[in-house]
Structures are given as C-alpha cells and as structure tokens.
Amino acid sequence: MKRVILISIGILFMLSLVKGQGTDANIFGDVKSEGEHLPFVSVYLKDTKYGTMTDHSGHYMLVNLPEGEHVLVASLLGYKPVEKRVVLKAGQTLEVNFVLEEKMMSLDDVVVTGTKTFKRKTESPVIVNVLEGKTLDMIQAGTLSEGLNFQPGLRMETDCQTCNYSQLRMNGLGGGYSQILINSRPVFSPLTGLYGLEQIPSNMIERIEVVRGGGSALYGAGAIGGTVNVITKLPDYNNFSVSRNHSVINGDANDHLLNGNASLITDQRNAGLTLFASHRKRESYDHNEDGFSELPALKNNSFGFTSFLIPAPNQKIEFNFSSLYEYRRGGDSEEKPAFLAEQSEERTHNVLMGGVDYAINFNQNRSALITYVSGQKTDRDHYTGIKPDKGTPAYEEHINNPPYGVTENETFQAGVQLNHVAMEFSFGKNTFTGGTEWNYDRVNDEIEAYEYLLDQTTRNLGVFLQSDWELSRSVTLLAGLRGDKHNFVDNLIVNPRLSLLYKNNGLQLRGSWSTGFRAPQAFDADMHIAFSGGGIQRIVLAEDLKEERSQSWSASLNYDKPSEKYIWGVTLEGFYTTLDDAFVLEEAGVDPSGNSILEKRNGGGSTVKGITFELRANYNRLFQLETGLTLQKSLYDEAVKWSETLDGTTDYLRTPEDYGYYTLTYMPSGGFKASLSGVYTGSMLVPHYGLAGDAGTPETDVLYKSSPFFENNVKVSYTWDLRKQGLGLELFGGVQNMFNSYQDDFDSGKNRDSNYIYGPAKPRTFFVGVKLLSL
C-alpha cells in the first residue's frame, strides 16, 4: 500500500513538472524608480503561484508561464504597486518594464477592519486609520502599547504604580469597551488585556488598523469604543534585520531590547514564512526615591512566525503563532522573595497564541469562503501583597500562607465567512458578507490567602450579515446585522449598523449608527487587585448585574489634496455614544479580611461625545507631518459614589477632555532621518484613596484634578548603504519625554494607593541603538 501511494505521488509530481515546462511563454524586464534600478522587487502574476524578484541590477525574468490574459504586478515595500495587463502565448517572450513611485503617505492603503473585506481606505464606509510598522520604528515604540498613543481618539493609560498594568481608551471609553484583534481574530481575552499590550513587541507588527466607535460591531457587539486590529508581518521578499537598543530611564534604570526578523519566500511566491524574536530586560525605576518602584522590573522573551501557502491559484492558507514570556516585579526589596518585601506585585506570564485561516475564491473570483480557528492559552503565577508589621498575628499568617496566586486562561474562536460580489445589483455592485463565529473564554484565578476566586467561563455564538452596496461611483451604503447569544444573557441580542459614504475628488463624507452591548462579566480592569488603605482593593460583580446597552452615532469629513510636490489632508469627526444601565464602580465596604471592596453595578445612563481633528501633510518626500486632537466630554446621568466618604461625581474618572499627538519626520536624500513626536494629555479627575496616620498617603480620600502633560520625543538615525554586501547598517539615538513631563506626587511607602497614577508612562529616557538589515 505504501509503495502504491509513493508511486502515485511521484506520478502526480512528474505530471505537474511536465505541465509547467511546456508553454515557453516568458516575460523579462527591469524595475526603476527615479531613473535608478530597484533590486529585490517582487514581480508576479496576480492570483497565480508564478513570481520572482529583481536581482541586484533591478532586472527579472519569468519563464514557462501559463497562457492567457493575466495581470503582472511589481511591488516593493515603501512604493506604490504597479499592475500591467499582459497576454501570454506559447513560444513568445514579452518585455515588460516598470517604474515605481515611492509612497508619500498611506492615504489609500488596502484595509480589512472596517467591513471584514479588503477595501481601500478611501472606499471604506467606515473610517479606518492605519499605523504602519515604519511609524512604530520612527517613534521608537518597542511595544504595541507605546505606539497606540499616536492615533486619533486613542489614549494608553497606566493604572498601577506597582505592576504598571495598562488599558487602551478609545473615544473616552475604558479598555473593556474596546476590542483588540490579532490578524482580525479576538484572541485577546479580558485577562490578556491587563498586560498584553505591553507584551507584544513592535517588530512582529506590519501595521495596526483602527476603527473608532461602534461602527465595528461585526467583530463583536462589545466593541463599543472601537476595534484595534494588529496585522502581523507577512513575507513579501527575502530579508532579515537584527537590532539592539539600550535605554537609560531618567539616568537611573537600564532597559535593553534585542529584536530579530527574517522573511523567506519561494521563487514561485506560493509559500513564505516570516519569523520574529524579541528579548527585553528592564531594571525597575524608583522616581520618588522611597524604595518602592514606579516602573517594575521586566524580563521578556517573545518569538513567533506568520506564514502562508498557496496550494492552488484560488486558495490560500495562513498560519500564525506567537509565544510570549514575561516576568515583572514591582515594589521593594527585589533581591528577596516577593512575600518578604514590604509591598510587592510579581507576575510570571507564559502566553501561547495562534491561528489558521483558509480562503478559497470561486465563481470567477466573485465569491470567497473563509474558515478560521484561533486561540490563546495563558498560564500565570502571581503574588500581590503587603507584609504586615512584625510581631502581629497577621504577620505570622502572612509568612505561613503568603498570598500567591495561580491563573489559567484559555480563549478559542472558530468561524466561517462567505463573501459574494453581485456585480449588477439594482443600482450598482453589492458585496454581501455573512457568517457565524463561536467564542469561548475561561479564566480561573485564585489566591487562597485572600479567599479570592474568579472562575468565569463565557461562551458566545454570533451570526452576522452585511451588505456593502455601491449605489453609484460616489455613494456607498453599508448595512449590517449581528445576533449574539451570550451565556450570561438570557435572550438573543440583535444589533444593527448603518454607514453611508459619499466620495468625490479627494473628499469623503461618512455617517454611521450602530448599537451594541456588554455582557455582565469581569473584564480586564476587574481582574486587577490594587493596594489601597494599607491593604488590598479588589472588584466584585453585583449579584443582579445585567448587560449594558449602547447606541453610537458618528459623522466625518475627510479631504486629501495631492500635487507633484506635496500632499495634505484633514479629517474632522464627531461622535456621540449613549450607554443604558452603564457599568459603574462604587465603594462597598470591606471583606471579612478587612480589604476594600469596589462593586461593579449597573448605574443609570451615560453619554460620551466629542470631536476628533486630524491633519496630515508631506512636502516633496522631505517633510511629513501627522497630528490629531480629540475634544470630548464623558458624563453619567447619575452621580457615581466611588468613595464612601465623599460625594459622588457624574464625570468619568481618569478621562481627560482633551488629548492628542503629533509626528514630524525629516527625510532628506541619503541615509539620514530625523523625527519629532509627542503626546498631549489634558487634565483629568483621579481618585486618591487615603489612610489616616500614614505619612505617605492622604489623610482622607481625595478626588484630584491633575495638571496636563505634554511629552516630546526626538530620534535621529543614519543608514549606511553597503549594497555590494547586500546589507545596510543603521545607527540611531534620541530622547523620549525629553522635557521630563512626568507625575511628581506619587504616594510613598508600603501603604501607598497603587492606583494613584496618571500621565506619561515613563520619565525622560535616552536611547541609542544599531540595526543590521538586508537591502
């Protein structure tokens, strides 16, 4: 039997060779830009497995190609791809030359997040912002969390002085209102959201697509604030890079980062693999010199791959896998075991995540079927505790039964999606998208010493249907419907969405409306145990907690004006979101151990409204500016009593009414580059829990209004072109937060309120580095 199978495989292989060798239909040519030949440009027949790359002299040749009419594509990262239609005949050789134009700005990238189908940004009825991997490099963002501040309407927030857990706020809503996707799949669980944004290294990211507001409900009705889709790097041509970066935080703590990337692709372009690896080691940093850290010590090791296989011209399989390890330790006495420190948080994460997508096009490429599975598994060992005073009964209990905990978290998703293009649907083309997906998440988190147990399993079955209808060349109507059956909600919940696009000569006008809900479950911030009042503070869910409902409206104007020497554009967007039975946190006494309890309850209604302004410009590929500013107001209908000793407030806590960013890049000819960037954070209301008689904390609870912050960064680099060796060598350096705009009123001592933290994530930091890359 084995012999028969081997013979059959051999016959099929030989037949495929014979089939590919008989045409003698060939193409040759060169690729140039501004009169110079370009090496390593991908040249391939679209929707086939036939392709190659230009050599060092910028020339290419394709042989034994299939007969018929095809589209020949030339593409290179940083340049606009060019397509040419060719007719291939047996025994004939064509000469096809290309001239590529360097991209000035990413105004018309192909994106997927807005509609769950591939569309150009200017044709998407939902605004999709793109943060490219090269921008992350320009602003010296080592992790995903460091880059997300540089998008309009987004703000990264550090929420713990000891462990530095963070969350992403979109359009003024907290982290639980946003959805983080990896390659369009929601493998970020509520637990992963606590530290995961800082655990993902930037060198695994190709680009980040951002959809603000509830218009992204097809990815889950809980994405009320918006959706962030992290697209990992896919191989485009053979290359590699290795970089080493050393930072010094405010002259005191060292931060080392080592990154490596490699891409491999076959000559036929029918298979490829991209690898990444990252190692980081950061010392803890104590800003107020009280012996307790404001930045925890970190040790990270990450690696993974993204790959694809094209078994047939109309089929594609994509694989992705990542392994993330992180150890973090904050507090004091790092040389001791965590339970012997006065106050300490220690976390050890082992995270595995990955997925497989299979797509097949049929019906003359008018239909596509996509199936996918993805998941993640997190194992976490952790400690959160304050050592009681020696000689007390509590001290003996602490030594004999220290509050160590163990967390297990599993997330799984599977789905199927069908796309069909009706070319003649009433007034115009209509792309129908339908599908179903199943999501499962289980988290078991236990600290026996605190009698703390979170055992939560959520299951959600979602069904979605969407019509992307081009009524005319100028008008597109996007209508969608999603139904969700969540195991924490009694009934099926149906959420519609509508978006309308009008476009004409660089102008796009958009409007959208959508509804959504959040299930009565624990989200990321709900799983964090903080220090407060000389003990710990934790969040519990009210027994009668029910789902939160939302409605969102948005309207926007987008205009871009290109010319020979410059390009500029503006975007103005208004948003308005209402929440019914909004989730609120209110102080609810203490547990049997005397630790503070915050209860998650349903409040009344809530409204978040504001405007976002964006400006972008590029002059002659020499200077490029991108900036955004958000003005907003977030209010509860009824006052929320966050402290039992103070009156409540209708204002959202930790939510500034104005925030923004800018990036300015100088790119002269040659290898020199320079960039300025910055993040502005307006004043906000920050809760501050006190402890009477403790010198390091307030006597009573205080609602503090912070001052605004404006952190500015600079980076310069020079790359030597060692083209004869096929290499480039880059040296770079700069300063982050160069004017040291940083919080200066931290609590001190072991009884500090660890959640009293606001403003930039770190103080002034100098960095230098080197990168070796292939050209």
Side-chain angles (χ1 to χ4, degrees), residues 137-141 244-251 255 672-677 712-718 730-739 762-770:
D137 181 68
M138 179 188 73
I139 61 179
Q140 197 56 28
R244 175 75 164 83
N245 178 69
H246 175 67
S247 302
V248 180
I249 303 171
N250 214 20
D255 190 355
F672 180 77
K673 288 184 180 179
S675 66
L676 286 172
S677 61
N712 292 272
N713 319 298
V714 61
K715 178 181 179 179
V716 295
S717 66
Y718 190 87
E730 177 185 350
L731 296 180
F732 58 88
V735 188
Q736 295 172 311
N737 199 356
M738 55 185 168
F739 300 120
K762 60 184 177 182
R764 180 190 295 122
T765 300
F766 291 88
F767 64 90
V768 294
V770 60

Side-chain angles (χ1 to χ4, degrees), residues 355-376:
V356 180
D357 284 37
Y358 170 76
I360 180 170
N361 297 326
F362 56 96
N363 191 24
Q364 296 180 332
N365 285 331
R366 293 183 180 181
S367 302
L369 178 68
I370 303 167
T371 61
Y372 50 88
V373 293
S374 62
Q376 70 86 27

Side-chain angles (χ1 to χ4, degrees), residues 124 163 168 170 209 211 245 253 258 293 303 308 321 380 396 416 562 604 608 634 746 767:
S124 173
C163 73
L168 171 67
M170 299 184 69
E209 298 182 5
V211 175
N245 178 69
L258 177 64
S293 63
F303 65 90
F308 74 89
F321 171 81
R380 181 179 73 161
E396 296 300 326
V416 59
V608 179
S634 304
F746 290 106
F767 64 90

Side-chain angles (χ1 to χ4, degrees), residues 35 59 101 116 189 217 272 325 364 452 455 494 575 585 601 686 735:
H59 293 79
E101 181 182 350
K116 269 202 168 184
S189 70
Y325 164 83
Q364 296 180 332
Y452 168 79
D455 190 0
V494 178
F575 57 89
L585 292 177
R601 305 166 175 167
V686 185
V735 188

Side-chain angles (χ1 to χ4, degrees), residues 366 421-430:
R366 293 183 180 181
V421 179
M423 298 302 296
E424 298 180 1
F425 184 86
S426 189
F427 297 103
K429 185 177 73 172
N430 197 334

Side-chain angles (χ1 to χ4, degrees), residues 47-349:
D47 299 324
T48 76
K49 64 180 181 179
Y50 296 93
T52 187
M53 290 185 182
T54 58
D55 58 21
H56 286 275
S57 68
H59 293 79
Y60 75 94
M61 187 168 187
L62 292 165
V63 298
N64 294 318
L65 301 174
E67 295 181 75
E69 187 173 338
H70 296 277
V71 175
L72 186 65
V73 182
S75 69
L76 179 64
L77 188 66
Y79 294 81
K80 296 179 181 179
V82 175
E83 298 183 355
K84 293 189 177 184
R85 192 165 297 276
V86 295
V87 177
L88 298 174
K89 297 180 180 179
Q92 292 187 5
T93 299
L94 302 178
E95 179 179 0
V96 181
N97 301 318
F98 291 91
V99 176
L100 299 189
E101 181 182 350
E102 190 173 1
K103 285 184 180 180
M104 292 178 67
M105 299 184 74
S106 57
L107 298 180
D108 207 21
D109 285 342
V110 175
V111 295
V112 66
T113 310
T115 61
K116 269 202 168 184
T117 56
F118 291 98
K119 292 181 74 75
R120 294 197 176 275
K121 284 173 56 177
T122 54
E123 297 174 356
S124 173
V126 179
I127 286 184
V128 181
N129 288 86
V130 177
L131 182 64
E132 296 182 336
K134 65 180 182 181
T135 303
L136 297 176
D137 181 68
M138 179 188 73
I139 61 179
Q140 197 56 28
T143 64
L144 172 62
S145 65
E146 293 176 355
L148 289 176
N149 275 323
F150 294 88
Q151 280 291 286
L154 273 60
R155 188 176 70 85
M156 283 301 304
E157 176 180 282
T158 302
D159 284 336
C160 181
Q161 185 183 0
T162 307
C163 73
N164 277 194
Y165 96 84
S166 60
Q167 62 175 307
L168 171 67
R169 290 184 178 268
M170 299 184 69
N171 282 357
L173 294 168
Y177 293 89
S178 304
Q179 190 169 45
I180 310 297
L181 310 175
I182 305 294
N183 294 318
S184 301
R185 310 297 172 223
V187 295
F188 250 60
S189 70
L191 174 71
T192 313
L194 277 173
Y195 305 101
L197 297 176
E198 196 173 6
Q199 292 169 348
I200 293 184
S202 60
N203 69 313
M204 72 178 278
I205 300 172
E206 175 66 29
R207 69 183 188 278
I208 303 168
E209 298 182 5
V210 178
V211 175
R212 299 188 300 273
S216 56
L218 282 190
Y219 284 99
I224 298 167
T227 298
V228 173
N229 191 5
V230 179
I231 309 297
T232 58
K233 293 182 176 180
L234 270 174
D236 188 49
Y237 62 99
N238 295 330
N239 67 92
F240 74 89
S241 67
V242 180
S243 65
R244 175 75 164 83
N245 178 69
H246 175 67
S247 302
V248 180
I249 303 171
N250 214 20
D252 184 56
N254 294 301
D255 190 355
H256 303 275
L257 181 63
L258 177 64
N259 287 333
N261 291 82
S263 289
L264 302 170
I265 193 166
T266 61
D267 290 339
Q268 295 79 19
R269 297 186 60 83
N270 61 347
L273 176 71
T274 292
L275 302 167
F276 81 90
S278 179
H279 169 75
R280 184 183 187 187
K281 184 176 182 181
R282 185 182 77 185
E283 298 173 345
S284 62
Y285 170 73
D286 179 9
H287 187 70
N288 58 2
E289 299 181 344
D290 67 339
F292 296 81
S293 63
E294 274 66 58
L295 298 180
L298 293 177
K299 296 178 183 177
N300 299 75
N301 284 304
S302 307
F303 65 90
F305 69 86
T306 304
S307 64
F308 74 89
L309 173 66
I310 302 177
N314 65 329
Q315 299 179 48
K316 188 176 185 180
I317 306 173
E318 291 189 9
F319 310 86
N320 66 84
F321 171 81
S322 301
S323 173
L324 311 175
Y325 164 83
E326 182 193 74
Y327 172 82
R328 66 172 59 208
R329 169 79 181 268
D332 71 306
S333 304
E334 291 178 25
E335 73 283 358
K336 300 178 182 179
F339 78 100
L340 294 180
E342 296 297 315
Q343 184 215 66
S344 180
E345 289 193 59
E346 184 180 56
R347 309 278 186 265
T348 301
H349 288 86

